[in-house]
Each structure stands twice: as C-alpha cells, then as structure tokens.
Amino acid sequence: MFSYTTYINAAYFNASLKFYGDIMTSQNPSLVTRLAIFAIASTTVLGPTIIAPSLPELEAHFASTPHADMLSKLILTLPALSIMIFSPLAGFVYAAYKRLPVIFAALLLWSVAGASGFMLDNLYALLVSRFFLGVATAFLATGVGVLIGDYYKGRAREKVLSTQNFAMAIGGAIFLVGGGVLAEISWRFPFLAYLGGIFILLYVKFALFEPRAIPQAPKVSHDSFVQRLRAMGAWLYKFAPVYFLGFFAMMMFNVVPTQIPFFISHILEKPNSQIGISMASTSLAMAFFSLMYNRVRAFLSIKHIASAALMLIGTGLFIIGFFHNYISLLFALMCIGAGLGLMLINNSSWLYMLASDSERPKAYGFLASFLFMGQFCSPFLTQPVVKAFGLIEMFVIMGFVLYGLAAVFFFYKGASLRS
C-alpha cells in the first residue's frame, strides 16, 4: 500500500504546484458546471436518507427475520461502511486517473444499486445492494471534493462549498418529503428515487470538463517500509483533528435518520408523511446556515465554528430529550441541521487549508471515509444506550457528550486556524 502511495505521488503530482494552480484557475467553470457538481453532490446526501421515512414499515415487513430491528437500521447506514472502506481507495484512483470516467461509472452503479431495493424481498439481499450503493457513493463523494479543489481556489472555493451544501440540503429536503409521501404508499416506493441518478449522469456528461494536470514519470523510492509507515502516520496525524471532528459530528447527526422516525411514530404517534416533513426541516436549516458560512467565517476561527456547530447539534438533542411535542421537535431538528451545515463546510475548508494540491485527492478521500465511518458507527453507539437507558435518555446523554467536545475544541491549542 505504501509503495503504491509513493508511486501515485511521484507519477501524478511532481509538477510545479504553482503552474498546476494556474492551469486549474484558468478554466473558469460556468454555472452549468457548478450545477453539475451540485447534482452529483446531492447523491451523497440522498443515498442514505431517501428511505429514512420507510424504516418503520420496512422493519415491520421483515419482522420475521432474526435481528430485524438492528438490520433494518443497517439498511440506512450500511452504505456508510462501504463508503468508509472505499473512499481512501477512491482518493488514490482520482490521483492516478482521469476524474470524469470514474464519476460517470459511479453514477450508473449508484442508480442501479439504489433502485434494486424496489424489487428485492430479502433483507440480506437488500443489505448487499446497499453495500454497492455505498461503493458508488464513496467515489462520488470523493470525486466532488476533488473536482471542487481542481476547479476553484481560495475564497471562490469556500463560496462554492457553501452553495454546494445549500443545494444539497434543499434537494435533501425535497426528496425527504417525497420519500415520506411515497412511504405512505409502500416502503418500496422511495427506492425508485435512485433512478434520478440516470438523469444526473446524462446532464453531467454534457456539463463537466476534465481538469488538466501534468503527470510526470514516477520516481523510485528507496525508503524502507518503516520509513514509509512513519511518513503515512505523520500524514494522517496532520489531518487528525479534521478527521476526528468529521467522524464524531456525523455519528451524532446520524441519530436523526436512525432514531427520529421511531421517536415520531412510536412516541409522538405521527404518520410517515410527518417523518419526511420533520426531517426536511433539518435539511432546510442546513441549507440556510451553509449559505451563512462565509459571514460567520469572517468573525470566527475554524476551531470556534467547530465548537459552535457541536453545541448546536447538542442543543437539538437536548430539546428532543426534554420536550416531547412536534413543534419542539421541528426546532430541535433545525438546530441539528444548522450545526451540520456549518460543520461540513468548516471541515472541508480546514482540510483545503492544510492540504497541498498534491495531497488533496487522498486527503479528501480519507475525510469522506471518516465522515461515513461516523454514519456507520452511529447505531452501534446509540442503540446500546437506547436499550440500557431508553430512547429519550439517549438524546440527553449524547447532548452532554457533544457539549463536552465543543468545550474541547473551543480551547483547542493547535496551529492558528484563522488565516
């Protein structure tokens, strides 16, 4: 693995970084291209959440399957396992090969694997299809990050990140409401939404262009295995705060799609359509605060934005735990969405500040891996707490954990993160 990493670094990125940056910024991506990037990015948020309103009905349908309560939640989070595994690989692939053919293939796989859930009537087969959906999402999530880094620089890149998160959140809200309506017909129908990936594929083939790069012949490395291992360790340590924060924030956020449907249906006794509407409020808040990121960034450092985002998510969990009515739930979900909206852009901006052009594809691949690792691990953290203390108590406990971590990042003494 380490010799392969050395080969990629030598083969693809030995060209002058200044010249590379000049080439990228000279291409002037149009609005059509930006919309294509946003469309691809929407698949990464729709992939796991579009079927969230169907979870209670899906669990009831497969009730005869052993451990259906846990497996039904893995339907939502299993894609995160394959994203976690394949995102670093995607970073290496994008560093070595052209971007667009990989993205096109991933979009096709995303559509086929996602829509297959409409026809499958075996819980284990459904889990397999979700695993392959995650493989496709890994390449799409990493590809979007790499393309933004290729097409844009500096302040323009932060604006695109902000607008991208806004577009993703609005799209997520629309599809969550639609998923809730479709779930009223049958738990199978929301799977048909994945066919939209075919239309996205047709559009991006027209709208995107291949970023130009200057490959060079590889240099043969004579470093020992131990030296390469230390170099990889130092490389990961450089980005460790970014990766940890992304992992933990996503793990806490994923309480929403995995636990809130059951909170709404079993405790508040609301129909499936209300699940989609309430969860859409999370996406709308995420959209608004994504647009606000640049203004917030003008006054706060990256570490303080991270602290504020964690507190917002924690506040949302506290409200759910203490106030058991639908209006309070909507406000709580808006707090959680606001926190995630700030967090996602903040983490990407932080990574772009730390990573050179040569490090960016692999660094973003690992960031995507840690984000979805948090999503995958969420049920394994929260479900035991639910069984030991109860669903309501779980929200309160996780709120305290988030406030504690927010305090840690508020007083974080790492390198300056304001510039």
Side-chain angles (χ1 to χ4, degrees):
M1 173 181 176
F2 299 105
S3 59
Y4 180 66
T5 304
T6 304
Y7 172 82
I8 296 300
N9 281 333
Y12 193 75
F13 288 108
N14 253 358
S16 163
L17 294 184
K18 181 179 184 302
F19 186 46
Y20 179 88
D22 291 342
I23 289 175
M24 290 303 177
T25 53
S26 68
Q27 297 180 74
N28 297 322
S30 65
L31 175 62
V32 172
T33 300
R34 290 198 298 274
L35 291 176
I37 292 174
F38 300 158
I40 297 171
S42 71
T43 64
T44 65
V45 70
L46 293 179
T49 60
I50 188 66
I51 64 167
S54 302
L55 279 185
E57 296 295 329
L58 188 150
E59 179 180 328
H61 180 81
F62 291 108
S64 59
T65 303
H67 310 294
D69 59 337
M70 176 63 75
L71 293 178
S72 64
K73 293 181 177 64
L74 287 180
I75 292 293
L76 197 68
T77 60
L78 184 63
L81 174 63
S82 44
I83 296 170
M84 176 183 72
I85 295 171
F86 284 92
S87 289
L89 174 62
F92 293 133
V93 171
Y94 283 117
Y97 303 104
K98 291 183 177 181
R99 275 61 156 149
L100 298 191
V102 180
I103 290 175
F104 297 158
L107 276 170
L108 182 61
L109 177 61
W110 187 87
S111 296
V112 173
S116 65
F118 178 78
M119 299 176 290
L120 297 174
D121 200 30
N122 179 285
L123 187 54
Y124 298 105
L126 197 54
L127 287 169
V128 171
S129 74
R130 302 297 289 178
F131 181 86
F132 282 103
L133 178 77
V135 174
T137 306
F139 281 87
L140 293 173
T142 306
V144 166
V146 172
L147 280 181
I148 290 175
D150 288 343
Y151 289 165
Y152 304 95
K153 301 294 174 186
R155 184 66 67 178
R157 185 164 56 203
E158 286 191 354
K159 290 181 179 178
V160 170
L161 285 171
S162 177
T163 311
Q164 172 198 314
N165 267 37
F166 174 80
M168 288 169 61
I170 292 296
I174 294 171
F175 277 90
L176 276 170
V177 173
V181 173
L182 290 172
E184 287 290 323
I185 304 172
S186 168
W187 64 267
R188 294 182 181 276
F189 275 75
F191 287 96
L192 294 178
Y194 292 104
L195 293 176
I198 300 297
F199 298 100
I200 295 175
L201 174 60
L202 295 176
Y203 176 65
V204 300
K205 289 193 71 164
F206 157 77
L208 293 180
F209 59 88
E210 185 68 42
R212 295 188 294 272
I214 305 176
Q216 281 193 342
K219 292 191 299 184
V220 179
S221 173
H222 298 287
D223 292 341
S224 68
F225 174 79
V226 173
Q227 289 173 316
R228 291 195 294 269
L229 185 62
R230 287 176 177 171
M232 177 62 75
W235 185 84
L236 287 174
Y237 179 77
K238 175 181 179 180
F239 301 104
V242 183
Y243 294 156
F244 170 76
L245 192 57
F247 165 79
F248 193 83
M250 188 59 73
M251 184 168 60
M252 292 293 97
F253 171 78
N254 213 57
V255 169
V256 173
T258 57
Q259 300 293 350
I260 292 300
F262 298 92
F263 177 83
I264 293 174
S265 62
H266 296 163
I267 295 178
L268 300 184
E269 298 181 347
K270 300 291 183 181
N272 287 340
S273 57
Q274 299 262 350
I275 296 175
I277 293 171
S278 60
M279 294 178 65
S281 67
T282 307
S283 294
L284 291 174
M286 178 178 164
F288 177 77
F289 277 83
S290 295
L291 286 181
M292 293 294 293
Y293 178 81
N294 281 332
R295 295 186 179 184
V296 175
R297 184 72 177 86
F299 296 98
L300 297 177
S301 66
I302 282 180
K303 70 172 185 177
H304 290 143
I305 294 177
S307 179
L310 289 168
M311 290 187 68
L312 279 169
I313 298 174
T315 298
L317 296 183
F318 275 139
I319 294 172
I320 296 171
F322 289 122
F323 302 98
H324 307 152
N325 61 77
Y326 193 68
I327 300 301
S328 296
L329 175 67
L330 291 178
F331 182 72
L333 293 178
M334 290 173 67
C335 288
I336 294 172
L340 188 71
L342 291 174
M343 181 68 72
L344 289 178
I345 303 175
N346 199 56
N347 254 25
S348 294
S349 181
W350 191 357
L351 181 135
Y352 285 133
M353 285 172 57
L354 293 175
S356 64
D357 284 347
S358 63
E359 295 172 319
R360 190 168 53 240
K362 296 186 292 296
Y364 207 93
F366 277 99
L367 176 60
S369 178
F370 276 93
L371 287 173
F372 287 96
M373 186 190 305
Q375 182 179 322
F376 175 75
C377 292
S378 182
F380 296 102
L381 173 70
T382 59
Q383 197 64 23
V385 178
V386 170
K387 289 185 176 181
F389 300 99
L391 180 60
I392 301 301
E393 291 75 10
M394 182 274 296
F395 291 122
V396 176
I397 292 170
M398 295 306 164
F400 277 114
V401 172
L402 279 158
Y403 265 58
L405 187 60
V408 170
F409 269 88
F410 185 84
F411 296 105
Y412 178 66
K413 295 296 184 182
S416 174
L417 297 176
R418 180 172 290 278
S419 61

